[in-house]
Amino acid sequence: MTPAASGPATGPRKRGRPARTSASEGPAARDRILTAARGEFAARGYDKTSIRGIAKAAEVDPALVHHYFGTKEQVFEAAIELILAPAMGTPDAVHGSREGAGERMARYMFGIWENPVSRPPMLAVMRSALTNETAAAVLRGMIERRVLLRMAGELDVPSPEFRAQLAAGHLIGIAMLRYVIRMEPIASAAVDDIVAMVGPTIQRYLTES
Amino acid sequence: MTPAASGPATGPRKRGRPARTSASEGPAARDRILTAARGEFAARGYDKTSIRGIAKAAEVDPALVHHYFGTKEQVFEAAIELILAPAMGTPDAVHGSREGAGERMARYMFGIWENPVSRPPMLAVMRSALTNETAAAVLRGMIERRVLLRMAGELDVPSPEFRAQLAAGHLIGIAMLRYVIRMEPIASAAVDDIVAMVGPTIQRYLTES
């Protein structure tokens, strides 16, 4: 594809290959696309996000988005890998001493949701999955492959994936009431008060046979 | 408003008042509107439902919808009262012996979700609330006023509304994973297995100080 005319020259052209400027191609552009995709999906949800909108936000040609990522579904998959990256660390919260593992996991997830930078994209991923079949399938596949397999490998209980999903479902449901529907008093409750109640539940699901 | 020409005559007109036919006005028409509204919100979600679409499904004039219910928001409120009516019975599941109350509540809610007639409208209400601020406010107000006040009056624990919301959040989150995102193995798990794990959690939230 034809590189944009802007950006610094990078020396004599190799024969047969167009000059690449960091503004229009290459790893920096790829990163900008991914960051733009994350922002677009977070702000608009899956349905209302388009390749064109992502390309515009990243200041690249839409064809470059397809080049690096493929279809809208595949862009979404890459974007939510980025968005959910902090949550992928959840299993590490389960490492170490079994004692208090439930509280650590609950506190870890609430840490992500309480952070005003990481919360909107995560809620947008959940909302997209709850309203769009394609988005749901992408999220499902990613969580089944990445998070729960890892976690299940750590858990010493029967049906570990089932237990992990009970735990995740509990936390997700609380997050929906607190951050999205904003029901009182749970919306204004102290995280410590929620963790005090919910931590032992997560503990039982993840560690008790 | 002018009644439709169809339907049985109902005797001599009272002076000054147009004949009413059950097909176009009156309690039967009001019921049809409410049923149509429930179906439209269930099938399309809040955003994509319109007064015109509801009127068409109910075979009435859009003005009649406004006449009986008011704005789209008010139609939604009436429709979800209808949709959530079974769930309003949840506090009764908490009545009686404290022992097993948690399991009764969990089993009661899963009974509603497992029913292929009652599930789609309930999930549609949740999805609407999760994606539309107006719908969220309507649901929030209704649940705060109707369900949780009643339940909180029954519960002998500190912060009963908070406890009730922890319980509701847990069940809603499991329902989201099972019925909407359809994550395995929780999507195919036996309700008995879910209730066996979750029942004691609900029990603790609702009854243990």
Side-chain angles (χ1 to χ4, degrees), chain A residues 90 102 105-106 109 113 148 151 155 160-174 198 201-206, chain B residues 170 173-174 177 186 198:
Chain A
T90 307
M105 177 176 173
M109 286 310 301
W113 285 321
L148 296 174
M151 192 183 293
L155 301 178
E161 297 90 350
F162 176 62
R163 298 295 194 94
Q165 289 176 13
L166 290 176
H170 190 353
L171 296 173
I172 286 166
I174 298 297
V198 167
T201 301
I202 306 301
Q203 181 76 14
R204 181 166 65 85
Y205 291 170
L206 297 187
Chain B
H170 190 356
I174 299 296
L177 289 193
I186 208 168
V198 166

Side-chain angles (χ1 to χ4, degrees), chain B:
Chain B
M1 63 199 61
T2 319
S6 61
T10 48
R13 291 184 183 184
K14 291 195 161 65
R15 190 156 56 118
R17 175 162 286 178
R20 289 184 171 206
T21 62
S22 63
S24 60
E25 289 194 356
R30 189 185 187 278
D31 282 350
R32 277 209 321 279
I33 292 170
L34 205 48
T35 300
R38 169 184 154 150
E40 290 288 302
F41 283 120
R44 305 180 199 287
Y46 186 85
D47 280 327
K48 295 187 177 132
T49 295
S50 66
I51 296 287
R52 187 164 293 280
I54 292 168
K56 187 172 174 191
E59 297 181 336
V60 299
D61 195 282
L64 197 65
V65 181
H66 288 297
H67 171 74
Y68 280 122
F69 297 101
T71 62
K72 174 177 164 181
E73 185 178 333
Q74 290 167 314
V75 181
F76 182 66
E77 185 164 6
I80 65 176
E81 284 237 25
L82 189 67
I83 289 168
L84 296 184
M88 302 295 189
T90 306
D92 301 329
V94 182
H95 278 323
S97 138
R98 270 170 60 119
E99 181 166 344
E103 180 180 331
R104 285 199 304 277
M105 177 174 173
R107 210 171 273 289
Y108 184 88
M109 286 309 301
F110 276 103
I112 296 173
W113 285 320
E114 287 290 302
N115 181 326
V117 171
S118 48
R119 182 196 317 157
M122 288 205 66
L123 292 185
V125 168
M126 282 304 310
R127 282 163 145 155
S128 294
L130 290 170
T131 52
N132 181 286
E133 265 306 314
T134 307
V138 172
L139 183 65
R140 181 168 63 235
M142 169 169 307
I143 292 186
E144 282 172 354
R145 283 192 313 274
R146 296 279 307 274
V147 181
L148 296 174
L149 272 178
R150 283 185 56 199
M151 192 184 291
E154 306 282 342
L155 300 179
D156 183 24
V157 287
S159 311
E161 297 91 350
F162 176 64
R163 299 293 194 96
Q165 289 175 13
L166 291 176
H170 190 356
L171 295 173
I172 286 166
I174 299 296
M176 294 285 110
L177 289 193
R178 180 175 168 88
Y179 301 110
V180 182
I181 299 179
R182 289 196 278 280
M183 197 165 294
E184 293 292 359
I186 208 168
S188 301
V191 169
D192 281 352
D193 290 341
I194 298 175
V195 170
M197 289 300 302
V198 166
T201 301
I202 305 303
Q203 180 76 13
R204 182 165 66 83
Y205 292 168
L206 298 186
T207 68
E208 288 179 32
S209 292

Side-chain angles (χ1 to χ4, degrees), chain A residues 12-208:
Chain A
R13 290 185 185 181
K14 289 195 164 65
R15 191 158 52 117
R17 175 161 286 178
R20 290 184 171 206
T21 61
S22 63
S24 62
E25 289 192 355
R30 189 186 186 279
D31 283 348
R32 278 210 318 281
I33 292 170
L34 204 49
T35 300
R38 169 184 154 150
E40 290 288 300
F41 284 120
R44 305 182 200 286
Y46 186 85
D47 280 327
K48 295 189 177 131
T49 295
S50 65
I51 297 286
R52 187 163 293 279
I54 293 168
K56 186 172 174 192
E59 296 181 338
V60 300
D61 194 282
L64 196 66
V65 181
H66 288 297
H67 172 74
Y68 280 123
F69 296 101
T71 62
K72 174 177 165 180
E73 187 178 330
Q74 290 166 314
V75 182
F76 182 67
E77 185 164 5
I80 65 176
E81 283 238 24
L82 188 66
I83 290 168
L84 295 184
M88 301 296 190
T90 307
D92 300 330
V94 182
H95 279 321
S97 137
R98 271 168 61 117
E99 182 167 343
E103 180 181 329
R104 286 199 304 277
M105 177 176 173
R107 210 172 273 289
Y108 184 88
M109 286 310 301
F110 277 102
I112 295 172
W113 285 321
E114 288 290 302
N115 181 327
V117 171
S118 47
R119 182 196 318 158
M122 287 205 67
L123 293 184
V125 169
M126 281 304 309
R127 280 163 147 156
S128 294
L130 290 168
T131 52
N132 182 286
E133 266 306 315
T134 306
V138 172
L139 183 66
R140 179 167 65 234
M142 168 169 307
I143 292 186
E144 282 172 354
R145 280 192 314 273
R146 297 277 308 274
V147 181
L148 296 174
L149 271 179
R150 283 184 56 199
M151 192 183 293
E154 306 281 342
L155 301 178
D156 184 25
V157 286
S159 312
E161 297 90 350
F162 176 62
R163 298 295 194 94
Q165 289 176 13
L166 290 176
H170 190 353
L171 296 173
I172 286 166
I174 298 297
M176 294 285 110
L177 290 193
R178 179 174 168 88
Y179 300 111
V180 181
I181 299 179
R182 289 196 279 278
M183 197 163 298
E184 293 292 0
I186 208 168
S188 301
V191 169
D192 282 351
D193 291 341
I194 299 176
V195 170
M197 289 301 302
V198 167
T201 301
I202 306 301
Q203 181 76 14
R204 181 166 65 85
Y205 291 170
L206 297 187
T207 66
E208 288 177 31

